[in-house]
Every structure is written in C-alpha cells, then in structure tokens.
Amino acid sequence: AWTAMLTNKRSAETRRAYGGDLRAFARYVAGYVAGALAGVAVDEHQVMRALLGCQVTHVVLWRDAMTRRDGMERVTNAATVARRLAALRVALRFLQSVKLRSDNPAELVECPTVLPSRQKAPHCEVSEMRRLLEAPDTATLRGQRDRALLGLLASCGLRRGEVAQLCTGDLRPTAAGLSLEVQGKGERVRTVDVERATAEALLGYLAADGRPLG
C-alpha cells in the first residue's frame, strides 16, 4: 500500500514531499505512543502502521504540536502544517479506497489559517532583479554561467528544479532566437521562448565553455 500511494504521484519531487510528510506524522505517533518528547526513526512499515491505526486524537495532537509557539514564533509555519495535514488526508483517503480503512480521521481536523500574504511565493521587485542580473562577474566563466542561470529564472519563469535539469539538448534555435524544452511538474513538457539578453548570455556561456550550440 505504501508503494501504491507514492507511485500514484507522477512527480518524483511530489513523491518525496508526500513521503516526508507521512513519515513526519508517523514519527510523531511513534514518539507519542512511546512517551518520547521527540519523534523516533521510522521505516515504511511503521508509517503504514501509524496510518492504519491513527485516530482523530493523534491528528489533533500532531497539528497542535506543530502549531505551538516557541516564544513568539510558531514551531512550524501554518502553510507547512496545512500541507502536511493535506498529505495525511489524501493518504487516509487512499487507504479507504482500497478498503484498508473505513474512516478518515484527518478529514475531521481543522487546518490552521494561512494568511493570503503567506500564500504568495517570495519574489523580487524589478529593481532587485536588475541588480541580481548585474552582480555576476561576466569576465569569468562562472560569472557567465550565473548570469545565464539568473536570466532563465527571471525572464522565463522557470523553477529552480527545472533550470537545474536543463541540458544543451533542450535548447532549440528558432527564427526569433532561442527556445527551451522544459520538463515541469507532473513530468509535463512545455516550450519556453528565451528573451534576447538571456539567450545571448546562455549562448555566450556555452561557447566560452567549449559547448557552442550548432
């Protein structure tokens, strides 16, 4: 059941995050049952036991443990708590669908409120982005690489993971300049046009690195 739950998610990154959230819950439950203050190490079998045996009380106590305050700060931010509870709800719903559970205690537990300002991804203003793009020393090979990478992040709206897995084979010369074949979330592939300054920075870096694009 553990393998089936994870392979149901198409993205490897999603599977890692999903598995991490479920392990966090299982560690809490194992620590709670053992009377330990901190969670203990768990394997996949212990995670499944926690999912199959948990009750509303376990979920409520886990949520409250994550949202308690240490001084003025929450131990875990509200968005992370909400995501973890969502992962738990989905996992228990899956166990219901395969007849391994008849209930879903996580459905009965209220999530913390996530303020709209916290839901927005951090971003740079235009002036800040200009300073970032001008920061690399383009007299060096590393600086040329950094300028090209920052340009892809800023002008193409690519995610960090998408930029990290790009290969020269993903570059496509076009009549307008340059485009990229990008594999994104859910392993979906899309074509992204590269604006001129970033295309020039990218092609210049590849040429300086001995990998000119034909």
Side-chain angles (χ1 to χ4, degrees):
W2 170 258
T3 301
M5 280 193 301
L6 293 187
T7 54
N8 187 42
K9 308 298 178 184
R10 291 187 297 176
S11 165
E13 190 66 30
T14 300
R15 289 194 293 270
R16 283 193 291 271
Y18 188 74
D21 291 338
L22 297 181
R23 285 189 175 89
F25 175 67
R27 281 195 297 272
Y28 178 81
V29 172
Y32 173 77
V33 171
L37 293 177
V40 297
V42 293
D43 58 24
E44 294 173 8
H45 300 293
Q46 290 168 303
V47 175
M48 287 307 304
R49 282 200 294 272
L51 294 176
L52 292 171
C54 70
Q55 302 299 323
V56 174
T57 300
H58 298 120
V59 183
V60 170
L61 289 173
W62 183 45
R63 180 202 61 190
D64 292 349
M66 290 188 288
T67 55
R68 74 180 188 276
R69 292 184 179 276
D70 183 4
M72 295 297 293
E73 297 294 329
R74 288 184 185 275
V75 173
T76 307
N77 67 62
T80 299
V81 175
R83 189 203 70 222
R84 287 179 172 178
L85 288 173
L88 181 59
R89 282 196 301 272
V90 171
L92 295 175
R93 197 176 299 142
F94 174 84
L95 295 178
Q96 281 182 295
S97 71
V98 295
K99 311 302 182 187
L100 291 177
R101 281 201 71 124
S102 61
D103 63 339
N104 186 341
E107 296 280 10
L108 305 174
V109 178
E110 184 178 343
C111 285
T113 301
V114 182
L115 298 175
S117 59
R118 295 284 186 175
Q119 294 175 333
K120 297 177 181 177
H123 66 281
C124 289
E125 299 295 339
V126 173
S127 58
E128 295 172 323
M129 184 52 65
R130 287 199 183 103
R131 287 197 294 272
L132 279 175
L133 292 174
E134 293 168 359
D137 180 5
T138 53
T140 67
L141 184 62
R142 180 173 181 174
Q144 292 180 50
R145 180 205 65 185
D146 291 349
R147 171 60 181 83
L149 292 176
L150 288 170
L152 291 173
L153 291 166
S155 66
C156 299
L158 302 187
R159 297 180 178 87
R160 179 184 60 182
E162 292 172 342
V163 172
Q165 66 182 0
L166 284 175
C167 301
T168 53
D170 298 322
L171 304 178
R172 302 283 188 274
T174 67
L178 192 66
S179 68
L180 297 171
E181 294 294 318
V182 180
Q183 181 173 302
K185 294 183 70 174
E187 300 182 359
R188 291 185 291 270
V189 178
R190 68 186 190 279
T191 300
V192 177
D193 292 325
V194 183
E195 58 89 23
R196 179 173 296 181
T198 298
E200 290 175 353
L202 183 56
L203 294 173
Y205 161 66
L206 290 174
D209 196 40
R211 295 180 289 163
L213 189 66

